[in-house]
Amino acid sequence: MQDLNSVFGLEGKVAVVTGGASGIGESVAEVLAQAGASVVVGDLNAEGAEATAKRLRESGAEAVAGGVDIANREEVNALVGLAESEFGGLDVLCNVAGMPHDGTLEELNDSDFDRVVSVNIRGTLYGCQAAIPLMAARGGGSIINVSSGAIDLPVAGFGLYSLTKAAVAQMTHTLAQEVGDRGIRVNALAPGATITNFTKRRLKQPDGSINSEDFDQFIGSMESMSPIGRVGESVDQAWLVLYLASEASRFCTGQIWRANGGATTGR
Ligand SMILES: NC(=O)c1ccc[n+]([C@@H]2O[C@H](COP(=O)([O-])OP(=O)(O)OC[C@H]3O[C@@H](n4cnc5c(N)ncnc54)[C@H](O)[C@@H]3O)[C@@H](O)[C@H]2O)c1
């Protein structure tokens, strides 16, 4: 019988996680470290990335942090390079960092377009490009990109974000075809509504606080989209990432994975 700890575990593996200061990326960094990986935590919020890495070290894991704007190729190369310089190579890349954009396509301006495309599309591509040679040198690896449930359920006023996440899904399909011969698997999450700063941003009042009634109403509307009446927590995405990072998913590549409470199944 297979030892499930070695099939689902990441002992001896090295992972890079972007967006690791908050939300899904923070949870991914924690779960991968818990499973035995050494983790490089990257984020635009360098202090937040260091706080996550410090917590991982305090729990007994190996972790370092780096500030990174994923829209900058050199900064992404430097972050991914930490996997090799600090831990000797790279096995898992989780491209979690991303940014929202609120506004209609009709009113979209060039500077918002350029920034969101640069972060969500270029940033994801830069991560993949930096990771491929390092993974190939180890005989393979697993890349996990983060798309969005927004690719399944178009929402008015969320078009730019959705189109960048559709690009991430397509990038994932194509890259899986291109790098499979080097043992590299490429998958993406399409998370459904998951409670993080990202989803809470629209509820924030000018002083940064959130009215509890607004919050409850918001959660209720998210829950009502799910046949099991649930809204996601970051760790629901992180546990799926663990599967995709581990040997348990060795037959899976080029796919979009939907931890979304079934929100897209009824349409
Ligand atoms: N929360 C959801 O419901 C949901 C649903 C679908 C997809 N997603 C995607 O999940 C990912 C994580 O989002 P989250 O919900 O955890 O939000 P979050 O705001 O809690 O975390 C996002 C993190 O990314 C970092 N970041 C933003 N721009 C960056 C940049 N240019 N370079 C480096 N780091 C940057 C932020 O500083 C932050 O720490 C995003 O790609 C988002 O699009 C989230």
Side-chain angles (χ1 to χ4, degrees):
M1 231 184 351
Q2 300 264 17
D3 169 21
L4 286 187
N5 283 328
S6 74
V7 175
F8 283 88
L10 297 177
E11 209 59 54
K13 302 285 184 192
V14 181
V16 171
V17 180
T18 69
S22 161
I24 295 170
E26 181 182 358
S27 190
V28 166
E30 283 171 4
V31 166
L32 298 190
Q34 216 182 332
S38 303
V39 182
V40 176
V41 184
D43 203 286
L44 194 56
N45 172 359
E47 267 181 33
E50 177 48 34
T52 301
K54 185 165 176 273
R55 260 204 331 282
L56 301 189
R57 289 193 297 271
E58 285 167 356
S59 72
E62 285 193 315
V64 295
V68 63
D69 179 352
I70 60 163
N72 181 307
R73 184 189 283 280
E74 281 69 40
E75 292 184 22
V76 174
N77 288 345
L79 181 84
V80 174
L82 285 175
E84 188 165 48
S85 61
E86 298 291 320
F87 303 124
L90 178 67
D91 304 289
V92 177
L93 169 69
C94 304
N95 271 318
V96 184
M99 65 180 292
H101 178 268
D102 299 311
T104 63
L105 290 175
E106 186 182 3
E107 289 169 350
L108 179 59
N109 64 48
D110 288 345
S111 89
D112 282 7
F113 182 88
D114 289 346
R115 178 64 185 159
V116 181
V117 165
S118 287
V119 172
N120 291 355
I121 304 182
R122 282 182 200 270
T124 302
L125 180 65
Y126 292 159
C128 295
Q129 289 177 328
I132 290 165
L134 293 180
M135 289 180 174
R138 302 259 264 207
S142 175
I143 295 175
I144 298 126
N145 294 326
V146 177
S147 176
S148 170
I151 68 172
D152 299 315
L153 296 172
V155 176
F158 214 37
L160 173 58
Y161 173 81
S162 307
L163 73 85
T164 62
K165 292 298 187 175
V168 169
Q170 187 55 39
M171 191 190 304
T172 300
H173 293 309
T174 305
L175 208 53
Q177 298 292 325
E178 293 178 351
V179 299
D181 61 353
R182 277 160 279 170
I184 302 172
R185 299 183 292 108
V186 190
N187 289 283
L189 312 185
T194 303
I195 309 164
T196 64
N197 289 330
F198 178 98
T199 33
K200 288 192 273 192
R201 73 191 182 284
R202 288 191 198 162
L203 300 173
K204 284 203 175 135
Q205 299 177 8
D207 66 357
S209 67
I210 293 176
N211 175 300
S212 64
E213 267 176 40
D214 291 349
F215 185 70
D216 290 346
Q217 200 180 11
F218 168 73
I219 297 293
S221 73
M222 296 291 137
E223 288 170 345
S224 70
M225 294 171 68
S226 157
I228 50 173
R230 288 192 77 109
V231 64
E233 295 172 29
S234 292
V235 77
D236 293 313
Q237 304 303 330
W239 287 329
L240 180 51
V241 169
L242 172 61
Y243 170 68
L244 293 170
S246 73
E247 271 298 290
S249 63
R250 66 187 182 184
F251 194 44
C252 306
T253 193
Q255 305 298 316
I256 312 303
W257 298 76
R258 292 168 165 84
N260 65 9
T264 50
T265 56
R267 305 194 179 212

